[in-house]
Amino acid sequence: MAKSLSSFLLACTIVLLASLLASATIVEHSLYIKNLTVNHLCHDQVIVAANGSFPGPTISVHEGDTLVVHVVNHSPYNISIHWHGIFQLLSGWADGAEYATQCPIRPGHSYTYRFNIIGQEGTLWWHAHSSWLRATVHGALIIYPRPNPLKRLPYPFPTPYEEVPIILGEWWNANVIDVLNEGLAIGITPNLSDALNINGQVGDLYKCSNHDMYRLKVVPGKTYLLRIINAVLNHQMFFNIAKHTVTVVAVDASYTNRYVTDIVVIAPGQTVDVLFTSNQPIGSYYMAAQPYYSVPRVIPFGNRTTRGIIVYEGSTSSTPMKTALPSYYDDSAAFKFYNSLTGLADGPHWVPVPLHVDKYMFITVGLNNEPCKSKTGKCPGPLGGKVSASMNNHSFVLPNTLSMLQAFYYGVSGIYTTDFPDYPPFKFDYTNLSLNESFMFAPKGTYVKKLNYNDVVEIVFQNTAMIETESHPIHLHGFNFHVLAQGFGNYNAREDRTKFNIVNPQIRNTVAVPSGGWAVIRFQANNPGIWLMHCHVDRHMPVGLATAFEVKNGPTPSSILPPPPEDLPKCFESDDILNSPVPSQPNSLSYPNFSRGRRSYYMELNVGRIAHREKK
């Protein structure tokens, strides 16, 4: 009898293991990037899109799967695709950050992104990481729990009746690359968008748009999982459903304790999963989203609200119930939402807060000024200069001759420097608005911070008011982090460290540093390579609000960055480094200096067009 029972248990174990192993599969997709004509606001506009749709296709995988995506660039511009929030463990070549982890995919070329989905489940997204192309090249990336025959419920919350991606976007009746380049050329903030949208539809508050409205049909009494993604380039957003509350259950693909709210606040790059129950009288109800302006003196230009409609099955209502959104400038509503979220400790994929810290950093974030180089000596930016931005008064510039990750792997000098400081070069009253010319100008360069493998890093992000106070959503590639605390004013270590939540803080990949305030994060650098950290407001990164981490290889074969894939894009048709033998030990070879002015090369602009040939 005992022997029979043992045999039965062994057979069950074998079947279970086989089932778990079989659940990890290779999921393959193709993204064809090309021009598409779309009509909004009585206007036909040519955009760059993926697979002929805006937004692009939703990609669904399970935790444990390998995702393979073939990207074919038929557009007239350079492009790369970033898998926002994916850890990319030992697959940094697939992170998709242009000139950081790869050279762009040039027109007429292709690249295959291949990476494993490990220790993550929930809502993430993919988007272009070239110029402003992510305005129209983006889509949802849904990671479902790994199938498990012993697990009755897939989620740590009631199983929803249906799951619905809600992508908040932005629309220009113009070529977005031209919009960005025109702003950069004269040194001012690029033009505001003409409309906002929900799942690619602008809503009935804009001209010619009564039928350009996203509609969600629901069954009365059912609970839906809304996977909200902020793909807007330049605005944090308030989101509300008329006469309903929602329950937050996850942010940035990390589970949270349930938080009931009538208002969702979501920064560019972030995702929020909410449960919505159709528990009101049968009818129709608006869902709406509008910007949260953290700069007090910004005046909304025209209508800045996008609406969709939730229609109950059986409804005959022709007049939807209206939403009640906060004012554009409601700092307290935004802070309340952000600061009320806590992580689901001991939930799926929960990672405890590291208690030992190896590296402390204090990083100021904000706008600066750049000297004007026009013939008149005056530009329309602050103090007659051009708008710039910085972290710790160092303004970041991406290279354009070789990706930083290639430079890291091959040991190429002159592409970036590892002298990004742990602290700002001087102390001042960070949150007191002041146009002080003595520290308005930040030097420009490709400044990087070097970390040892497995270093635990704690960063205080301190917002500044050198030009204006504004909330900056800071996104870290390659890692999640714990948000230990947030607050207003200048960070005070003696007082504010007592506010740290080290028990169940929210886990994110993008944190909205409060306007005129600070946020503290902590993460472990357990992935070798080059990882960008930048403001996800897309008018700020091009002018320098970024840096990167160089994480050294670890001591074992499983902690060393593998060689690049054979089809890794080249910056130019002929690339001496990519044609060189792969070194047996990464970072061990010395190549010629490829920095600006040391070699003839074709400089490629972010828009992907050859601009000029630099002379020796």
Side-chain angles (χ1 to χ4, degrees):
M1 179 69 179
K3 185 176 181 180
S4 299
L5 179 60
S6 299
S7 299
F8 174 76
L9 292 175
L10 177 60
C12 289
T13 302
I14 292 173
V15 170
L16 174 60
L17 289 174
S19 174
L20 291 175
L21 289 173
S23 68
T25 61
I26 296 176
V27 178
E28 196 162 2
H29 290 268
S30 294
L31 295 178
Y32 298 95
I33 311 300
K34 57 185 178 180
N35 283 351
L36 175 71
T37 300
V38 177
N39 184 280
H40 286 306
L41 315 179
C42 310
H43 178 81
D44 284 338
Q45 179 62 46
V46 177
I47 65 172
V48 177
N51 293 9
S53 66
F54 169 67
T58 293
I59 295 177
S60 300
V61 294
H62 287 87
E63 193 273 327
D65 286 348
T66 296
L67 181 58
V68 179
V69 182
H70 310 285
V71 177
V72 183
N73 186 9
H74 293 307
S75 83
Y77 306 112
N78 285 352
I79 200 165
S80 65
I81 302 296
H82 173 51
W83 310 93
H84 188 110
I86 293 293
F87 294 154
Q88 299 292 1
L89 290 169
L90 299 181
S91 57
W93 306 106
D95 187 53
E98 184 178 86
Y99 291 115
T101 58
Q102 67 168 90
C103 293
I105 306 169
R106 290 172 287 131
H109 291 72
S110 63
Y111 179 46
T112 296
Y113 294 90
R114 178 186 292 267
F115 50 91
N116 299 322
I117 311 292
I118 301 173
Q120 294 182 274
E121 59 185 67
T123 306
L124 295 174
W125 63 303
W126 58 268
H127 61 80
H129 211 287
S130 304
S131 185
W132 270 16
L133 288 178
R134 83 167 177 89
T136 54
V137 182
H138 60 253
L141 174 58
I142 310 301
I143 307 173
Y144 292 103
R146 186 190 297 246
N148 185 341
L150 296 184
K151 190 175 181 181
R152 297 181 60 188
L153 299 176
Y155 302 120
F157 49 80
T159 302
Y161 176 73
E162 188 177 335
E163 302 182 14
V164 183
I166 301 291
I167 302 179
L168 308 180
E170 203 161 5
W171 179 262
W172 279 262
N173 274 343
N175 183 315
V176 291
I177 289 179
D178 292 341
V179 171
L180 172 62
N181 288 339
E182 289 166 6
L184 293 177
I186 61 177
I188 62 172
T189 298
N191 288 342
L192 287 174
S193 58
D194 295 290
L196 298 163
N197 62 77
I198 297 174
N199 287 345
Q201 297 179 272
V202 299
D204 60 350
L205 293 177
Y206 297 96
K207 65 179 181 179
C208 307
S209 302
N210 284 338
H211 301 290
D212 194 357
M213 171 90 72
Y214 173 70
R215 285 174 167 80
L216 174 62
K217 294 184 178 180
V218 299
V219 177
K222 299 296 185 181
T223 296
Y224 295 77
L225 178 62
L226 305 184
R227 299 179 179 271
I228 307 171
I229 300 168
N230 188 353
V232 173
L233 263 63
N234 294 313
H235 301 302
Q236 298 188 51
M237 301 293 289
F238 290 120
F239 177 85
N240 168 259
I241 299 174
K243 305 297 181 180
H244 293 76
T245 60
V246 296
T247 302
V248 178
V249 292
V251 296
D252 291 2
S254 295
Y255 293 114
T256 65
N257 289 305
R258 299 177 199 178
Y259 174 64
V260 179
T261 179
D262 58 344
I263 297 294
V264 171
V265 190
I266 183 168
Q270 291 183 337
T271 70
V272 180
D273 290 357
V274 301
L275 296 176
F276 155 77
T277 301
S278 49
N279 56 8
Q280 295 300 304
I282 291 176
S284 58
Y285 300 81
Y286 278 118
M287 67 170 77
Q290 73 178 31
Y292 156 49
Y293 288 119
S294 58
V295 183
R297 62 177 180 269
V298 167
I299 299 175
F301 180 78
N303 173 55
R304 304 304 293 162
T305 302
T306 179
R307 297 197 301 199
I309 300 178
I310 292 178
V311 181
Y312 279 54
E313 187 179 83
S315 171
T316 58
S317 169
S318 59
T319 306
M321 299 294 291
K322 293 183 178 180
T323 58
L325 288 163
S327 78
Y328 290 110
Y329 313 104
D330 198 334
D331 289 335
S332 61
F335 185 78
K336 178 184 177 183
F337 179 85
Y338 286 135
N339 205 45
S340 296
L341 302 177
T342 55
L344 185 62
D346 299 324
H349 309 296
W350 169 256
V351 177
V353 179
L355 300 181
H356 170 77
V357 176
D358 299 294
K359 179 67 66 177
Y360 290 94
M361 302 181 73
F362 185 97
I363 299 180
T364 55
V365 295
L367 300 185
N368 294 82
N369 202 9
E370 180 183 350
C372 182
K373 297 180 182 178
S374 70
K375 293 181 180 179
T376 63
K378 290 186 178 181
C379 292
L383 301 176
K386 301 175 71 173
V387 171
S388 182
S390 70
M391 290 185 172
N392 275 353
N393 210 49
H394 285 61
S395 188
F396 187 81
V397 179
L398 282 167
N400 54 22
T401 57
L402 192 70
S403 76
M404 298 164 67
L405 189 58
Q406 288 170 291
F408 165 79
Y409 185 84
Y410 290 105
V412 181
S413 62
I415 301 299
Y416 63 86
T417 60
T418 56
D419 54 351
F420 182 81
D422 293 342
Y423 300 92
F426 38 77
K427 294 182 179 181
F428 58 98
D429 185 1
Y430 304 114
T431 55
N432 182 30
L433 187 64
S434 173
L435 295 175
N436 189 327
E437 292 191 54
S438 64
F439 48 77
M440 282 286 293
F441 299 99
K444 289 191 173 290
T446 312
Y447 306 107
V448 171
K449 176 64 182 177
K450 182 181 289 189
L451 298 174
N452 292 318
Y453 181 78
N454 268 341
D455 271 355
V456 174
V457 184
E458 181 179 297
I459 302 175
V460 176
F461 292 116
Q462 175 65 63
N463 215 321
T464 63
M466 286 185 286
I467 291 180
E468 62 185 20
T469 57
E470 181 174 1
S471 176
H472 295 283
I474 304 300
H475 171 50
L476 176 59
H477 288 225
F479 305 97
N480 278 348
F481 49 74
H482 296 90
V483 181
L484 302 184
Q486 305 170 75
F488 291 107
N490 294 327
Y491 176 77
N492 183 310
R494 179 175 299 178
E495 296 178 3
D496 293 329
R497 291 191 72 84
T498 63
K499 304 172 185 176
F500 282 13
N501 178 359
I502 60 173
V503 177
N504 62 348
Q506 57 185 286
I507 297 177
R508 283 194 176 272
N509 60 59
T510 305
V511 61
V513 181
S515 176
W518 51 269
V520 183
I521 70 168
R522 192 178 292 178
F523 72 98
Q524 185 168 22
N526 58 358
N527 196 8
I530 296 291
W531 305 105
L532 279 183
M533 183 172 71
H534 62 90
C535 180
H536 219 278
V537 171
D538 273 23
R539 67 179 184 269
H540 291 163
M541 184 178 172
V543 294
L545 218 170
T547 185
F549 291 105
E550 178 198 278
V551 180
K552 295 167 63 175
N553 284 304
T556 64
S558 62
S559 60
I560 295 175
L561 179 69
E566 291 184 0
D567 66 336
L568 187 74
K570 299 178 181 181
C571 285
F572 314 103
E573 287 292 345
S574 176
D575 193 315
D576 294 340
I577 292 180
L578 291 183
N579 291 330
S580 300
V582 175
S584 58
Q585 294 294 326
N587 307 331
S588 63
L589 297 187
S590 177
Y591 287 88
N593 189 314
F594 282 70
S595 60
R596 184 182 297 272
R598 296 295 302 275
R599 172 185 172 92
S600 294
Y601 63 90
Y602 284 101
M603 179 189 295
E604 297 184 61
L605 294 177
N606 284 340
V607 298
R609 295 168 177 166
I610 295 175
H612 68 273
R613 185 162 188 162
E614 184 172 286
K615 303 299 182 180
K616 290 182 180 179

